[in-house]
Amino acid sequence: MSVWNYVVTAHKPTNVTHSCVGNFTGPQELNLIVAKCTRIEIHLLTAQGLQPMLDVPIYGRIATLELFRPHGETQDLLFIATERYKFCVLQWDAEAAEVITRAMGDVSDRIGRPTDNGQIGIIDPDCRLIGLHLYDGLFKVIPFDNKGQLKEAFNIRLEELQVLDIKFLYGCPKPTIVVLYQDNKDARHVKSYEVVLKDKDFLEASLSQNNLDNGADLLIPVPQPLCGVLIIGEETIVYVNASTFKAIPIRPSITRAYGRVDADGSRYLLGDHNGLLHLLVITHDKEKVTGLKIELLGETSIASTISYLDNAVVYVGSSYGDSQLVKLNLQPDAKGSYVEVVERYVNLGPIVDFCVVDLERQGQGQVVTCSGAYKDGSLRIVRNGIGINEQASVELQGIKGMWSLRSSTDDPFDTFLVVSFISETRILAMNIEDELEETEIEGFCPQVQTLFCHDAVYNQLVQVTSSSVRLVSSISREMLDEWHAQSGFSINVATANLTQVLVATGGGHLVYLEIGDRKLTEVKHAQLEFDISCLDINPIGENPNYSHLAAVGMWTDISVRIFSLPDLNLITKEHLGGEIIPRSVLLCSFEGISYLLCALGDGHLLNFLLSMNTGELTDRKKVSLGTQPITLRTFTSKNTTHVFAASDRPTVIYSSNKKLLYSNVNLKEVSHMCPFNTAAFPDSLAIAKEGELTIGTIDDIQKLHIRSIPLGEHARRICHQEQSRTFAICSLKYNPSSTEDSEMHFIRLLDDQTFDFISTYPLDQYEYGCSILSCSFSDDSNVYYCVGTAYVMPEENEPTKGRILVFIVEDGKLQLIAEKETKGAVYSLNAFNGKLLAAINQKIQLYKWMLRDDGSRELQSECGHHGHILALYVQTRGDFIVVGDLMKSISLLIYKHEEGAIEERARDYNANWMSAVEILDDDIYLGAENNFNLFTVRKNSDGATDEERGRLEVVGEYHLGEFVNRFRHGSLVMRLPDSDVGQIPTVIFGTVNGVIGVIASLPSDQYVFLDKLQTNLRRVIKGVGGLSHEQWRSFYNEKKTVDAKNFLDGDLIESFLDLSRSKMDEIAKAMSVPAEELMKRVEELTRLH
Amino acid sequence: MGSLLGDWPSFDPHNFSQLRPSDPANPSKMTPITYHPTHDRTLPPPDQEAKNILLRHFYQRAEEKLRPKRAASDNLTPEQGFKHPRAST
C-alpha cells in the first residue's frame, strides 16, 4: 500500500444519536429529523408511513439537535451544535427545496475544560435564548433579539462542576434553567437559575431539590400549565415544581431516552437500558399535580432517542440495535405487550469487531461484524453486489444467445427458452413436473444459429436467422409467414418487439418489418454507408407494443444513430470516439427518464439522456464495467425494470433517486442473460456462464446486502476458520432479571453457513474474552482457535490475571487442548513465525508451541518486550511487530531469531490514545485514535542518526469523525486482476456508528489528480450550515489542529457524480479535464466499495 | 391501563393511516437522496456575524478609532481668538 490514501464510506453511519419532530419542511408538514452522528435525515410523515426526504451530511459530529420556532415564524428551524464547537441554525426553503443557513458561529472558548458528560445544548421554550454547557463551570448563552436573530454569545459562571443535565423550565417570566448535578460527596441535587440577560448572570430561582436518587441522570421539563420538572432516577421518579413534590418508586432501571407524548406534558415514553418502554403519566386535577403513574408498555430496541410522531406511532432510535417504528396499541397482544414494531431500520453500530471472509468462495470478501450491544447484539453479514440464487443449472457449452417466449401473448409467464448455438438452436421448456426439458417449435428453424427471438401479437413468435425472419404461431407452433433476406446479403443483427422487427444485413442495409395477424410486412428499407453492429427497438414510449425510435450502432465510423420508425429517417448521429465499436445498444427508461445505453467491445458503457420527442442525445457519460464486450438486456424484478450488462464483470444498471447506479453481480463471467419468468421459477433469470446454463432468482437490487443474525447477547470478538468452516466469537450475556450485576462470558462456535451455535465454552466468573485467533503452529498441521482472556475483578484497576486457551474443533465441538495463565489481560493474539504472539497488559510476549513427552502440547514462553502503558492492538508482518498503545501511539518492534529477543526499533512520540492499528506496507503503518482521527506513520530506515531511525515519522493525518474499532486488509468487491481498481490495495474499517469504510492506497499521480479534484469540489459543494470541509477534515485533538495531509475524502470526491451537469462542467473546466473523463475516473473509484 | 393509553395526540389523522406493518425479517430499504448544496445560501446572512466574540469586539473598537473625532469647522478662527496677553491691571 502507500502513503497516499483515499478514505471512503461503504456503509454510512446508522447509529441514531438524536431525533426530533416538528414542522420543518412546511407549516402543515410534520417531519421526523434524525441525527446519525455526522448526518441528519429528514423524513416526512405520510399516510403510508415515514417517507425519507433528504440525507444531509454535516461536517461535524452532532452534539445537539433541536427544532425551535422563533416568534413570527410559520415553521420550525433546526439548531445543530457540533462536538468541535460549531453551531448553525438551518431553515428549509420549500420553493428551492434547499437547506439554508440562518445563523452559524463558533462557540469554543480558548480556555476551559470540556465537560465529561458530553455537551448540552438547550433552547428556551419561549425562544429568548439558546443555552450551551460545553465546559465545566461555564454556561454559554446565545440570546435572540426580538426579531428572532441570534446575538452575541456570553458565558455565565456555573458553580456546579459535575453537571448531569440542564433543561429550561416552562412558564417562567424570565428564562430559567434547572440543573441536575453531583456534589463532591457524590450526592445528587437539582437547582434552578434565572438567566438575567441584562447582567449576563444567574439569579438563583426557587425550584430546588436535594439528595435525589443516586442514579438520577435525566431531567424532563414539563410544559404549561403544569410546569415544573421530572427527575428520572434509577429507583425513583420525582416531580418537582415550586410548591409540589411527588415521587414514585420504579423497578431499577437506567432510563436512556424519553419522548413527550402530549403537548400539555401529561404523558411521556421512557426507554430503559434493557429496551423496555414505559409510559409515565402525571395525574393532575386541573392544574394541580396529584401524582405519578408508570406502566410497562413492552419491549423495543434499546433506545437512544424516542420521538412520538403522530396517531400512536413512535420512532425509537437506537445506538445498540436497529432503530424502529412502533405502534402503541390499546389492547395488549398475546405476550402482554402494547408495542407493535411496524418498521425496522438497520443499524450496524457499534461495530466492535469484524472479519473479512469469502463464505461463498467466489473470490469476494464479505464482512461479518460483531454489531450492537447488550440484548440487541448480533452478527451482520455485509456483502457488496447482487447475488444470484441458483435454482437449477445444466452444462451447456457455446451458448450464443438466449430468449424466453410465451405460449400465448397474454400468458403472464414464459414457457420456452430458446438457446442458440453457432450452428443450431435448441428450445427448452418447463414440463408438468416443473423440469426444464428440450422441446420443439415446429415452425422454427433448428439447424442454424438464431439471431433474435421475440413474442409477437396475435399469439405469434418471431425467429430471426441469418437468412430469414419467421413468424410462427405460439398455439399450433407452425410457421405462418417468412420474410427472406435478399440473396447475397445475410442478416447480421436483428431485433424485435411485439409488433416490429428490425434487421440489418451485410452492405449496410437496414430493413424494417411490421408484424400483422399471420403476416410479416416489409415497411421500409434504408441503405446506410457502413455495416451495422447492433440494433434496438425496445418500446419505451407511450405505446408498450410499438417503438417510434430505433437505435443503431455502426461499424467504421463508430457511431450510434437514432432513426424514426416507421420511415427510417435518421434523427441523431452521435460519434462515440475511439476505435472500439458499439456491441450492444438499448433504449430504456428508469424512473420516467429515457436513456440510450451503448456498450462497447472493450467493456465500456456509454449512456445518454434520450429525448423521446426529438431523438436528441445529451448528457453523455462513460463508465468502465469490464474488459470484454457487453450485452445489454432489460429484466424486471419486484415490478421495476433494470438492465443486466453481461460481460466478464456482470453488472446490474438501475436507477435510484433519478441517478443511474451500477452494482456488481456476484458471478465471475456471464456471456448472456435473459429473463425467464415461469410459474415454477417466477422472476427468474437464465444466465449463460462458463459452459453452464443457470436459472436463478436475483437479490434485491441494491449495492450492499446486509443479513442479520440476532444473538440476544453481545459478541465482542470474531474469527473465521476456513478448515472447520466455523466462526468463533467471544460474547457476553447480561442477565437483567437478577439484581446483581451478572454477566456470563462465553466462547461460542458457529457454523459458517447456518450461523447456528454448535458448541459453547463458558468462561470463568469475572473472566472476559479479549482476543481470538485461528492459527497453526510450526511442526503441527492442526488448526486451532486461540482465545485470550482477562479476569476483570471489581477491585482491580487493571486485570492482573488472564489465560490463553487453545481449542481445536473436533466433530463440531470446541475441545480445549492447552491453557496458559498470564499475568494480565490478553488484549491481542497474533500468529507469528509459527508461534503465538500475545499482548498482555504492558508486555508483548512470544510463546512457542511445545510437544511434551506424553505427546500433549503446551505454550511455553520464549521472549517478551516491556515498555508499553497497555499494548492493546498488535499487527505483525515478517519479523516486525507494530503495537498500538493505550496512550503512547504506535511503536515498531522487531523479533531477532538468533537472540530469541524482541526489541524496539522505532516509535511515534506523539501521545495518541489508540483504538486500532494496521500495517499498510513494510514501511507505512495506519492508526486510529480516540479523537476520531486517522494517521499514518513511516519507518525511517534511511535516517542518518539513531535518533532519526528510532522515530516513526507522521506522514498522513486526517479527521475521520468516526471511532474505529478495527482495521482489516481485504475488499468488499470482487477484485479482477485486469481492472484498474483491481490493482489498488484496500483496508476495511468498522466503527462505533456502524460505518464500514474503505481506505485505498493510491499511486502518487492519481492522488495528486484527486487532491486537485477535492480542492475544486470544496468550492462547489458547500458545507451545510456554512461548516467548512477543510476544517472538518483537519486532524484535531486537545493538543493540536493541523490540516489533513495524505488522506483524501472519498465521500466528497464521489459526490461529484451527484452534481448537475453544469456544476460538473464548471469543475471540469477548472481542472482542464473533460467532464466525461472526470466522471469515468470517479465512477471507477465508486467500484472500490 | 386503558385510561392511560389511548387518546393519542393527532396532528394529521391521515398520518400512518395506511401504514402496513412490514415483515420483521426485511428492514426498511428506503433511502433518502444525499444532499450536496451548491448554492451560496449555506453561508449565514451578512447581518449575522459569524465572528468570534473577541474579533467582533476588536472590529467594533477599530471602527470607533477610525471615525473622525470631531468635524472640523469651516471657520478656523478660534472663537475665542488668539491668546491675548492678560491685561495687567
Side-chain angles (χ1 to χ4, degrees):
Chain A
M1 293 188 72
S2 81
V3 60
W4 302 288
N5 287 299
Y6 177 86
V7 187
V8 69
T9 306
H11 182 260
K12 289 176 189 170
T14 46
N15 162 21
V16 173
T17 51
H18 305 75
S19 68
C20 51
V21 179
N23 310 107
F24 183 66
T25 58
Q28 296 309 316
E29 292 179 353
L30 201 56
N31 303 103
L32 167 70
I33 306 209
V34 171
K36 295 179 174 174
C37 190
T38 56
R39 311 186 82 94
I40 56 174
E41 272 178 20
I42 303 168
H43 299 259
L44 180 68
L45 273 63
T46 70
Q48 288 75 33
L50 277 182
Q51 181 191 318
M53 284 179 77
L54 218 53
D55 158 42
V56 183
I58 301 292
Y59 292 155
R61 290 169 57 90
I62 295 163
T64 302
L65 181 83
E66 291 276 347
L67 281 168
F68 68 102
R69 189 175 305 188
H71 301 291
E73 298 281 346
T74 56
Q75 61 201 66
D76 293 333
L77 305 182
L78 185 64
F79 172 80
I80 296 173
T82 71
E83 289 182 9
R84 283 170 73 170
Y85 306 103
K86 302 277 191 281
F87 80 89
C88 59
V89 175
L90 305 179
Q91 183 179 22
W92 180 252
D93 175 355
E95 240 167 69
E98 299 273 14
V99 176
I100 58 176
T101 305
R102 280 284 292 264
M104 72 91 66
D106 188 320
V107 282
S108 61
D109 286 337
R110 292 182 64 183
I111 42 172
R113 183 180 179 279
T115 52
D116 285 336
N117 292 322
Q119 303 182 0
I120 296 171
I122 46 173
I123 299 174
D124 171 42
D126 294 312
C127 261
R128 292 166 291 200
L129 57 94
I130 293 172
L132 298 163
H133 181 56
L134 311 173
Y135 302 98
D136 283 345
L138 290 174
F139 185 77
K140 190 177 287 281
V141 173
I142 318 175
F144 288 95
D145 66 16
N146 44 19
K147 293 187 206 112
Q149 298 291 334
L150 289 173
K151 296 196 293 184
E152 192 175 320
F154 59 87
N155 277 322
I156 302 177
R157 201 170 73 85
L158 182 67
E159 250 171 57
E160 291 67 38
L161 291 176
Q162 290 190 69
V163 170
L164 300 162
D165 200 6
I166 306 182
K167 291 283 158 64
F168 276 107
L169 288 175
Y170 283 85
C172 298
K174 292 269 166 57
T176 306
I177 58 166
V178 51
V179 182
L180 172 66
Y181 66 99
Q182 185 168 305
D183 67 17
N184 50 20
K185 294 192 186 77
D186 290 353
R188 296 186 177 189
H189 321 283
V190 296
K191 243 179 169 177
S192 58
Y193 295 105
E194 221 177 82
V195 181
V196 187
L197 287 169
K198 184 162 58 68
D199 301 341
K200 299 187 175 176
D201 208 350
F202 284 141
L203 190 67
E204 200 160 329
S206 59
L207 189 149
S208 76
Q209 191 68 43
N210 285 341
N211 298 316
L212 296 156
D213 184 333
N214 270 334
D217 199 40
L218 178 68
L219 296 174
I220 305 178
V222 180
Q224 285 151 306
L226 303 175
C227 302
V229 67
L230 288 160
I231 305 160
I232 313 294
E234 288 176 6
E235 290 172 348
T236 52
I237 292 178
V238 169
Y239 169 84
V240 194
N241 69 14
S243 57
T244 320
F245 174 90
K246 299 282 175 199
I248 48 162
I250 54 168
R251 220 176 64 167
S253 65
I254 303 166
T255 301
R256 287 278 165 83
Y258 80 93
R260 190 175 82 199
V261 176
D262 304 284
D264 71 355
S266 52
R267 287 184 293 185
Y268 297 86
L269 293 162
L270 304 182
D272 76 7
H273 68 299
N274 288 322
L276 297 181
L277 190 70
H278 288 89
L279 186 72
L280 173 67
V281 183
I282 305 178
T283 54
H284 52 99
D285 183 10
K286 294 204 176 82
E287 291 177 12
K288 189 168 163 48
V289 172
T290 54
L292 298 172
K293 272 187 190 166
I294 189 154
E295 293 289 346
L296 175 65
L297 297 181
E299 190 179 329
T300 66
S301 290
I302 300 168
S304 56
T305 168
I306 296 175
S307 288
Y308 177 85
L309 299 173
D310 208 4
N311 305 319
V313 177
V314 176
Y315 178 77
V316 176
S318 181
S319 294
Y320 296 142
D322 289 341
S323 293
Q324 296 167 328
L325 202 61
V326 302
K327 193 166 193 312
L328 306 176
N329 290 325
L330 293 176
Q331 299 302 324
D333 65 11
K335 289 177 190 157
S337 171
Y338 294 86
V339 175
E340 182 189 4
V341 176
V342 287
E343 190 71 87
R344 185 163 74 85
Y345 306 93
V346 164
N347 170 27
L348 296 191
I351 299 175
V352 185
D353 193 11
F354 71 91
C355 59
V356 186
V357 288
D358 180 11
L359 287 177
E360 274 144 38
R361 305 197 181 194
Q362 288 181 325
Q364 186 197 10
Q366 298 183 26
V367 165
V368 182
T369 65
C370 294
S371 284
Y374 307 102
K375 70 163 183 95
D376 293 335
S378 62
L379 299 182
R380 307 281 175 132
I381 303 118
V382 183
R383 177 166 54 78
N384 179 290
I386 296 171
I388 302 287
N389 311 306
E390 205 172 289
Q391 310 273 6
S393 81
V394 282
E395 203 171 301
L396 272 180
Q397 300 282 350
I399 295 173
K400 291 285 165 193
M402 289 194 300
W403 301 270
S404 53
L405 297 174
R406 282 172 273 176
S407 49
S408 67
T409 309
D410 48 7
D411 189 336
F413 292 111
D414 297 321
T415 303
F416 305 107
L417 183 66
V418 179
V419 185
S420 169
F421 300 88
I422 195 87
S423 58
E424 61 167 333
T425 296
R426 291 156 80 171
I427 294 150
L428 305 173
M430 301 301 294
N431 66 15
I432 302 162
E433 274 96 49
D434 287 339
E435 287 168 342
L436 210 55
E437 63 173 16
E438 200 157 343
T439 182
E440 271 181 50
I441 297 176
E442 288 79 2
F444 273 19
C445 176
Q447 297 90 359
V448 294
Q449 181 181 349
T450 297
L451 297 175
F452 202 86
C453 271
H454 207 281
D455 298 303
V457 284
Y458 308 115
N459 297 327
Q460 300 176 109
L461 307 171
V462 168
Q463 182 198 24
V464 185
T465 63
S466 63
S467 57
S468 75
V469 180
R470 290 173 169 227
L471 187 67
V472 175
S473 161
S474 61
I475 312 281
S476 71
R477 302 190 185 180
E478 284 163 2
M479 189 165 81
L480 304 171
D481 196 6
E482 186 170 18
W483 175 90
H484 289 277
Q486 207 183 331
S487 69
F489 293 99
S490 63
I491 301 173
N492 294 331
V493 284
T495 188
N497 58 38
L498 279 172
T499 61
Q500 300 164 292
V501 182
L502 189 66
V503 298
T505 67
H509 294 282
L510 192 59
V511 183
Y512 171 64
L513 313 172
E514 285 188 353
I515 302 166
D517 191 2
R518 311 171 77 87
K519 190 149 186 58
L520 280 171
T521 313
E522 182 177 326
V523 176
K524 189 75 186 178
H525 168 268
Q527 165 78 55
L528 309 186
E529 61 271 44
F530 308 113
D531 269 330
I532 292 151
S533 62
C534 48
L535 294 170
D536 188 54
I537 51 170
N538 183 31
I540 54 170
E542 277 165 24
N543 186 341
N545 297 342
Y546 187 93
S547 178
H548 287 282
L549 298 175
V552 177
M554 303 291 292
W555 288 84
T556 316
D557 73 342
I558 319 282
S559 67
V560 62
R561 301 175 185 197
I562 302 289
F563 288 87
S564 65
L565 294 178
D567 44 11
L568 283 186
N569 284 333
L570 178 65
I571 312 177
T572 307
K573 179 155 96 178
E574 176 85 18
H575 285 281
L576 302 177
E579 291 169 351
I580 311 295
I581 59 151
R583 289 298 190 98
S584 184
V585 283
L586 185 69
L587 299 162
C588 57
S589 169
F590 295 115
E591 298 186 282
I593 301 173
S594 302
Y595 296 90
L596 173 70
L597 304 182
C598 177
L600 307 183
D602 63 351
H604 281 83
L605 178 83
L606 290 156
N607 74 67
F608 302 89
L609 287 183
L610 169 68
S611 159
M612 292 304 288
N613 297 326
T614 64
E616 197 187 1
L617 296 174
T618 53
D619 272 32
R620 166 192 176 125
K621 288 180 183 163
K622 190 176 183 181
V623 292
S624 161
L625 297 186
T627 58
Q628 301 295 314
I630 299 169
T631 315
L632 300 168
R633 276 289 180 88
T634 59
F635 68 98
T636 304
S637 164
K638 302 219 161 108
N639 300 320
T640 314
T641 299
H642 312 288
V643 171
F644 194 102
S647 77
D648 60 331
R649 192 170 185 189
T651 304
V652 168
I653 304 161
Y654 62 106
S655 174
S656 173
N657 296 324
K658 308 213 163 173
K659 185 183 153 197
L660 286 191
L661 297 174
Y662 305 87
S663 191
N664 307 324
V665 177
N666 295 331
L667 293 173
K668 282 213 176 79
E669 187 161 358
V670 173
S671 52
H672 295 277
M673 187 293 298
C674 92
F676 190 46
N677 176 28
T678 60
F681 299 122
D683 257 357
S684 292
L685 306 179
I687 288 168
K689 59 172 169 95
E690 301 166 90
E692 209 177 60
L693 170 65
T694 300
I695 311 287
T697 54
I698 193 155
D699 277 348
D700 289 342
I701 306 301
Q702 59 188 38
K703 204 166 171 180
L704 274 191
H705 286 258
I706 298 168
R707 194 176 142 205
S708 184
I709 313 286
L711 298 177
E713 62 187 46
H714 186 179
R716 296 178 66 235
R717 294 289 178 270
I718 186 165
C719 176
H720 184 245
Q721 193 170 74
E722 179 72 36
Q723 292 76 6
S724 61
R725 305 238 57 177
T726 56
F727 285 100
I729 59 170
C730 301
S731 70
L732 71 159
K733 198 172 178 68
Y734 295 87
N735 189 358
S737 58
S738 75
T739 47
E740 279 299 299
D741 212 14
S742 98
E743 50 184 48
M744 283 289 291
H745 292 251
F746 303 100
I747 310 303
R748 306 237 197 224
L749 191 71
L750 291 85
D751 181 285
D752 78 355
Q753 296 296 307
T754 64
F755 287 89
D756 291 334
F757 289 162
I758 50 177
S759 179
T760 294
Y761 181 89
L763 294 176
D764 292 343
Q765 196 183 10
Y766 301 115
E767 190 182 22
Y768 286 48
C770 299
S771 48
I772 195 161
L773 170 75
S774 166
C775 71
S776 53
F777 299 100
S778 22
D779 316 325
D780 184 350
S781 58
N782 291 320
V783 184
Y784 299 97
Y785 275 119
C786 299
V787 175
T789 73
Y791 286 88
V792 181
M793 310 309 284
E795 66 278 9
E796 285 178 355
N797 287 331
E798 289 298 334
T800 55
K801 191 183 146 196
R803 288 196 292 173
I804 298 173
L805 306 168
V806 182
F807 297 96
I808 194 163
V809 178
E810 257 175 18
D811 306 326
K813 294 273 182 297
L814 282 171
Q815 303 284 353
L816 185 65
I817 297 294
E819 85 172 85
K820 178 88 181 169
E821 196 166 298
T822 62
K823 287 179 179 162
V826 184
Y827 289 113
S828 177
L829 287 172
N830 286 75
F832 187 74
N833 286 290
K835 299 167 186 170
L836 184 66
L837 186 74
I840 303 161
N841 284 12
Q842 302 83 354
K843 197 173 177 186
I844 300 295
Q845 182 76 44
L846 187 62
Y847 294 95
K848 286 185 284 199
W849 187 233
M850 299 298 287
L851 189 63
R852 286 203 200 98
D853 292 344
D854 64 357
S856 66
R857 296 277 187 169
E858 67 170 336
L859 286 171
Q860 198 176 79
S861 168
E862 181 183 324
C863 61
H865 177 264
H866 279 277
H868 304 277
I869 305 292
L870 284 179
L872 296 180
Y873 314 100
V874 176
Q875 297 294 338
T876 64
R877 186 177 175 109
D879 293 337
F880 287 103
I881 302 162
V882 169
V883 182
D885 190 89
L886 173 73
M887 54 189 290
K888 291 209 304 184
S889 195
I890 296 178
S891 54
L892 174 69
L893 313 179
I894 187 166
Y895 171 61
K896 296 193 163 169
H897 290 262
E898 304 77 41
E899 296 149 53
I902 297 172
E903 287 175 8
E904 183 179 300
R905 183 51 76 82
R907 65 161 58 242
D908 170 27
Y909 287 88
N910 289 299
N912 291 320
W913 293 58
M914 303 306 294
S915 68
V917 294
E918 188 52 275
I919 297 176
L920 293 185
D921 65 19
D922 281 345
D923 299 328
I924 311 278
Y925 317 126
L926 171 69
E929 53 85 271
N930 77 336
N931 284 297
F932 318 112
N933 297 300
L934 294 180
F935 64 98
T936 46
V937 292
R938 181 163 57 198
K939 183 172 85 181
N940 195 1
S941 315
D942 306 329
T945 63
D946 280 351
E947 198 277 333
E948 279 175 37
R949 284 189 293 273
R951 186 179 289 275
L952 291 173
E953 180 194 359
V954 178
V955 284
E957 289 173 299
Y958 182 75
H959 188 73
L960 181 68
E962 287 285 332
F963 191 98
V964 176
N965 273 319
R966 182 69 79 190
F967 293 116
R968 298 268 187 211
H969 282 282
S971 170
L972 276 168
V973 291
M974 207 182 282
R975 306 308 285 271
L976 297 175
D978 48 358
S979 72
D980 286 348
V981 292
Q983 306 300 325
I984 297 178
T986 54
V987 162
I988 302 172
F989 61 83
T991 79
V992 166
N993 286 319
V995 169
I996 294 175
V998 174
I999 298 177
S1001 280
L1002 303 177
S1004 154
D1005 55 340
Q1006 198 178 1
Y1007 179 88
V1008 171
F1009 177 82
L1010 293 174
D1011 189 29
K1012 195 172 161 192
L1013 176 58
Q1014 177 175 274
T1015 308
N1016 281 291
L1017 277 166
R1018 276 179 179 156
R1019 296 191 190 118
V1020 172
I1021 297 178
K1022 309 284 168 47
V1024 172
L1027 298 169
S1028 148
H1029 180 266
E1030 208 168 348
Q1031 277 180 34
W1032 162 231
R1033 292 306 183 191
S1034 62
F1035 182 98
Y1036 169 85
N1037 63 23
E1038 298 91 347
K1039 293 197 182 65
K1040 67 170 187 181
T1041 305
V1042 289
D1043 282 349
K1045 68 175 175 192
N1046 286 335
F1047 280 102
L1048 292 175
D1049 184 353
D1051 294 345
L1052 177 65
I1053 288 172
E1054 290 175 18
S1055 60
F1056 175 77
L1057 299 172
D1058 295 334
L1059 291 177
S1060 67
R1061 188 59 188 237
S1062 63
K1063 292 288 176 191
M1064 284 186 180
D1065 288 338
E1066 190 181 321
I1067 289 170
K1069 201 174 157 207
M1071 296 274 296
S1072 311
V1073 177
E1076 198 180 303
E1077 168 74 16
L1078 268 182
M1079 272 184 262
K1080 185 170 159 273
R1081 290 186 74 161
V1082 177
E1083 192 79 57
E1084 266 164 25
L1085 291 168
T1086 65
R1087 302 212 131 208
L1088 281 168
H1089 55 91
Chain B
M1 188 78 182
S3 61
L4 302 180
L5 294 168
D7 193 22
W8 298 111
S10 175
F11 173 82
D12 177 348
H14 293 294
N15 282 337
F16 302 113
S17 58
Q18 293 167 37
L19 178 66
R20 301 273 167 277
S22 70
D23 174 2
N26 289 321
S28 168
K29 296 209 173 70
M30 304 240 279
T31 47
I33 309 172
T34 300
Y35 181 57
H36 298 294
T38 53
H39 58 81
D40 287 325
R41 297 156 81 201
T42 53
L43 293 175
D47 58 335
Q48 173 69 48
E49 284 183 65
K51 294 183 200 84
N52 179 303
I53 299 166
L54 198 68
L55 267 181
R56 185 194 333 231
H57 194 65
F58 177 80
Y59 284 123
Q60 275 172 2
R61 291 289 295 273
E63 275 168 28
E64 279 169 24
K65 273 189 183 163
L66 280 175
R67 198 187 308 145
K69 296 272 184 330
R70 198 180 297 141
S73 70
D74 292 336
N75 180 7
L76 288 171
T77 324
E79 279 169 35
Q80 285 182 304
F82 294 102
K83 263 189 176 175
H84 296 283
R86 205 182 297 167
S88 54
T89 48

